[in-house]
């Protein structure tokens, strides 16, 4: 079991471009959580998804951000028209059931907007 | 408001020394409390988890305590090693229909030779 895989590890985008962050959960895990960590700050919950469903998106900005977890393939966090303030580390975690405290984290994607 | 506060914000110790990190929380209702270790540029890794009825839990050189009455937890690191240099994050899970992790900002620990 390779663990939670995120790619790319580093992503550089110019202002106004789109950023797509991918997360492949651990085998057998159908629950995915996305977090954002700004420099010198703690992790902030963004969205919780179960296969094909968004369960809780209370931490997602209302505009430009979207997430999906299709029946087949990885979970995708999409940021449209990126701005400098989107520069952060984005972490994905997965769990085998709806117990967020049992989630395992990926290595993160570090997004830099230039 | 559910909050988790950690102290100190940062700490520098010499290799081989012990240290204790503090965590105070106001999360209610409470489900469990975890300590995570986050190395620079890596994802958090769980060290310990404690529920309401547990007072102490050890994982090698890491020992966590929990006082549910005062809503305080500590993480004690014994005989520190250079590889202990990391951010240590206290996370409280709220109990209820929509369980969420409430994250502290972490204590940045540097272990120097």
């Amino acid at each position: 079991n390779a663990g939670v895989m995120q790619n790319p590890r580093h992503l550089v985008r110019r202002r106004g471009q789109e950023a797509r962050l991918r997360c492949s959960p651990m085998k057998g895990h159908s629950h995915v959580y996305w977090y954002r960590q700004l420099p010198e700050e703690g992790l902030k919950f963004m969205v919780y998804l179960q296969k094909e469903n968004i369960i809780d998106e209370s931490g997602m900005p209302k505009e430009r951000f979207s997430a999906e977890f299709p029946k087949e393939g990885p979970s995708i966090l999409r940021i449209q028209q990126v701005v400098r303030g989107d520069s952060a580390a984005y972490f994905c975690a997965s769990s085998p059931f709806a117990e967020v405290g049992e989630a395992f984290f990926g290595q993160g994607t570090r997004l830099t907007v230039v | 408001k559910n909050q988790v506060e950690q102290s100190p914000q940062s700490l520098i110790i010499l290799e081989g020394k012990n240290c204790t990190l503090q965590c105070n929380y106001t999360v209610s209702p409470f489900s469990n409390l975890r300590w995570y270790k986050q190395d620079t540029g890596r994802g958090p890794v769980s060290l310990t988890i404690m529920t309401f009825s547990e007072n102490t839990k050890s994982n090698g050189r890491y020992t966590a305590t929990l006082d549910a009455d005062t809503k305080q937890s500590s993480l004690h690191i014994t005989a520190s090693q250079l590889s202990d240099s990391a951010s240590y994050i206290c996370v409280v899970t709220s109990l209820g229909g929509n369980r969420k992790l409430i994250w502290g900002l972490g204590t940045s620990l540097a272990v120097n030779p």
Side-chain angles (χ1 to χ4, degrees), chain B residues 7-8 17 28-31 57-58 63 75 90 109:
Chain B
S7 63
K17 297 296 185 182
S28 182
F30 171 89
S31 176
K57 182 146 312 172
S58 292
T63 300
L75 180 68
C90 175
L109 174 66

Side-chain angles (χ1 to χ4, degrees), chain B residues 27-44:
Chain B
V27 178
S28 182
F30 171 89
S31 176
N32 59 57
L33 184 147
R34 284 179 176 267
W35 283 92
Y36 281 87
K37 178 186 179 187
Q38 185 177 20
D39 293 308
T40 301
R42 309 290 288 270

Side-chain angles (χ1 to χ4, degrees), chain B residues 43-54:
Chain B
V45 175
S46 179
L47 293 176
T48 65
I49 178 172
M50 288 182 291
T51 59
F52 183 87
S53 59
E54 295 176 294

Side-chain angles (χ1 to χ4, degrees), chain A residues 5-8 20-24 34 74-77 92 109:
Chain A
M5 304 299 292
Q6 290 188 247
N7 67 80
R20 289 168 60 94
L21 288 63
R22 295 176 181 77
C23 170
S24 296
W34 284 94
S75 175
I76 305 289
L77 179 67
C92 167
T109 292

